[in-house]
């Protein structure tokens, strides 16, 4: 199992110390560095900025929101960065949710699986550069010939010859149908809440995708990149403090990400067996009672989602994640020293 550094997306201000984190990951043998986006910082620019000082680590997005750019634009970003990095890009994409897609990007959220399939097909056509790119699908028709069209649209090939036609495409997916489609059409999967305890829930969904005619990969060459926070602690008091500090983020995803009527993250926690808790957390969170919502997050859920403990516990827990089929563990680390410490423990 490889290690990746998960930088995530920015808060109110750009984070500090990122250059040192990335340098430590490169020097310590980490396989990759990943960035994310929500409705603030984008995923590509930080990779280009901090990735320029690296020469070995893969540079991945986890994830690019498909509705924020046309498929051709996504392909152009990936193509460009792949050249600049010498062929180290991993293109992670996902559909996001209706609040962001319709509220932030002003695009319809309907038919997310069909839209995902079209985006992947178009990106691959651009990168293959075998013919002018066309698409007959209803979501991203190329050339566009709908309302307001001039009729002058022309199928095009990218001017720049892609460095790699097979840039890995990993998809963020949470529900059964989406996970199965990911196993069918993608090179890898970026689950948000994959854990050792929940891993068995996903296996039939993945198997369904791998079994479909024309599936791109098999379980043997399909990548699974799971994110968690890893922190080495030296006392029970310190461990308790870290666990409590991780609860607000879980409460946010469980109760505040998405609408009450449709929160895909909450649905995952429901499937994991926490339905009673999620209802209460969502109700409190949406009522503005964030501290009360956070207090309801069970310790065992935090410890399943993240790796916190002394050196021996960390090694044992990491091995447990690897046994479930995770090929890359994307870690959130707070300092360059932590990055180096993790690499030394897991060497």
């Amino acid at each position: 199992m490889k290690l990746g550094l998960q930088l995530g997306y920015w808060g109110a201000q750009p984070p500090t110390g990122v250059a040192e984190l990335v340098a430590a990951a490169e020097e310590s043998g980490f396989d990759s560095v990943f960035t994310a986006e929500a409705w603030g910082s984008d995923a590509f620019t930080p990779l280009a900025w901090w990735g320029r000082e690296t020469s070995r680590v893969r540079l991945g997005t986890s994830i690019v929101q498909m509705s924020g750019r046309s498929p051709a634009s996504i392909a152009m970003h990936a193509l460009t960065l792949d050249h600049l990095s010498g062929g180290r890009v991993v293109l992670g994409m996902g559909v996001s949710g209706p609040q962001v897609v319709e509220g932030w990007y002003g695009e319809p959220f309907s038919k997310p699986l069909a839209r995902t399939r079209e985006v992947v097909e178009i990106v691959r056509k651009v990168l293959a550069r075998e013919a002018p790119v066309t698409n007959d699908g209803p979501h991203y028709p190329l050339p566009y010939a709908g309302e307001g069209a001039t009729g002058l649209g022309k199928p095009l090939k990218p001017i720049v010859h892609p460095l790699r036609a097979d840039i890995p495409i990993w998809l963020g997916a949470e529900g059964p149908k989406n996970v199965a489609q990911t196993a069918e059409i993608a090179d890898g999967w970026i689950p948000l809440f994959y854990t050792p305890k929940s891993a068995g829930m996903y296996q039939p969904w993945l198997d369904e995708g791998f079994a479909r005619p024309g599936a791109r990969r098999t379980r043997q060459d399909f990548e699974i990149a799971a994110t968690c926070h890893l922190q080495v602690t030296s006392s029970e008091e310190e461990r308790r403090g870290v666990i409590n500090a991780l609860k607000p983020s879980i409460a946010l995803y469980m109760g505040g990400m998405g609408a009450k009527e449709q929160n895909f993250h909450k649905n995952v926690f429901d499937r994991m067996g926490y339905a009673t808790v999620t209802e209460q957390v969502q109700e409190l969170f949406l009522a503005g009672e964030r501290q009360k919502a956070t207090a309801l997050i069970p310790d065992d859920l935090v410890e399943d989602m993240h790796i916190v403990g002394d050196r021996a516990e960390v090694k044992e827990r990491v091995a447990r994640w690897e046994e479930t089929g995770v090929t890359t563990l994307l870690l959130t680390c707070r300092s360059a020293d932590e990055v180096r410490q993790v690499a030394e423990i897991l060497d």
Side-chain angles (χ1 to χ4, degrees):
M1 182 173 67
K2 299 179 285 289
L3 298 180
L5 177 64
Q6 175 60 272
L7 297 175
Y9 51 80
W10 299 359
Q13 297 295 327
T16 59
V18 176
E20 291 77 13
L21 280 172
V22 173
E26 169 97 351
E27 295 164 3
S28 300
F30 274 52
D31 172 74
S32 56
V33 173
F34 276 74
T35 58
E37 61 187 24
W39 49 93
S41 58
D42 79 282
F44 285 112
T45 308
L47 281 183
W49 184 261
W50 286 307
R52 78 193 190 285
E53 299 297 333
T54 67
S55 61
R56 183 188 57 77
V57 291
R58 292 193 288 178
L59 305 175
T61 56
S62 63
I63 59 176
V64 164
Q65 297 168 329
M66 293 180 184
S67 295
R69 308 163 184 83
S70 70
S73 177
I74 293 173
M76 289 168 62
H77 280 76
L79 179 161
T80 304
L81 187 56
D82 205 47
H83 267 290
L84 292 174
S85 65
R88 293 185 284 137
V89 166
V90 176
L91 177 59
M93 302 186 292
V95 295
S96 188
Q99 278 194 323
V100 173
V101 172
E102 297 181 359
W104 183 246
Y105 294 121
E107 297 289 335
F109 183 74
S110 61
K111 307 288 186 181
L113 268 71
R115 286 190 293 110
T116 297
R117 189 177 289 272
E118 281 191 37
V119 171
V120 171
E121 289 176 354
I122 293 170
V123 168
R124 288 214 167 102
K125 286 180 180 179
V126 173
L127 296 176
R129 202 178 180 274
E130 294 174 348
V133 178
T134 61
N135 181 54
D136 296 328
H139 303 287
Y140 304 100
L142 291 174
Y144 177 73
E147 182 178 354
T150 64
L152 301 176
K154 177 182 178 181
L156 300 169
K157 290 196 294 187
I159 297 171
V160 178
H161 292 229
L163 182 62
R164 293 185 297 165
D166 60 347
I167 291 176
I169 295 178
W170 298 0
L171 296 178
E174 293 177 304
K177 293 180 180 178
N178 204 350
V179 172
Q181 177 172 270
T182 297
E184 176 195 355
I185 69 174
D187 302 296
W189 174 39
I190 308 173
L192 189 55
F193 302 124
Y194 187 100
T195 71
K197 287 184 180 179
S198 68
M201 173 178 70
Y202 295 108
Q203 303 314 315
W205 310 347
L206 291 166
D207 288 338
E208 178 188 336
F210 293 136
R212 291 177 181 174
R216 183 174 174 86
R217 298 283 179 179
T218 67
R219 186 176 286 277
Q220 285 66 44
D221 63 0
F222 185 79
E223 298 209 50
I224 299 177
T227 294
C228 78
H229 179 73
L230 187 155
Q231 191 163 339
V232 182
T233 56
S234 57
S235 67
E236 178 60 22
E237 182 181 4
E238 184 183 5
R239 192 182 74 86
R240 295 296 320 161
V242 174
I243 289 172
N244 288 332
L246 290 167
K247 289 184 178 182
S249 175
I250 298 174
L252 169 64
Y253 278 91
M254 185 183 291
M257 284 284 198
K260 182 175 177 59
E261 301 79 12
Q262 193 172 52
N263 179 337
F264 299 119
H265 308 314
K266 175 181 174 296
N267 293 344
V268 176
F269 289 118
D270 289 344
R271 296 187 188 102
M272 291 169 68
Y274 294 94
T276 303
V277 175
T278 64
E279 292 295 331
Q280 298 176 63
V281 169
Q282 186 181 65
E283 183 176 344
L284 288 168
F285 203 97
L286 296 180
E289 300 282 355
R290 297 192 177 193
Q291 287 187 339
K292 291 182 179 179
T294 298
L296 292 177
I297 302 300
D299 290 354
D300 64 339
L301 174 58
V302 181
E303 295 188 84
D304 188 30
M305 293 177 62
H306 302 291
I307 299 173
V308 182
D310 60 30
R311 295 169 70 97
E313 289 172 323
V314 163
K315 290 191 72 170
E316 187 273 330
R317 296 279 306 283
V318 168
R320 208 181 304 168
W321 282 72
E322 185 173 14
E323 289 169 1
T324 69
V326 173
T327 60
T328 295
L329 196 58
L330 297 178
L331 304 176
T332 59
C333 296
R334 300 171 301 169
S335 69
D337 285 341
E338 279 193 2
V339 171
R340 288 187 280 267
Q341 181 187 43
V342 168
E344 184 268 323
I345 292 173
L346 301 179
D347 184 24

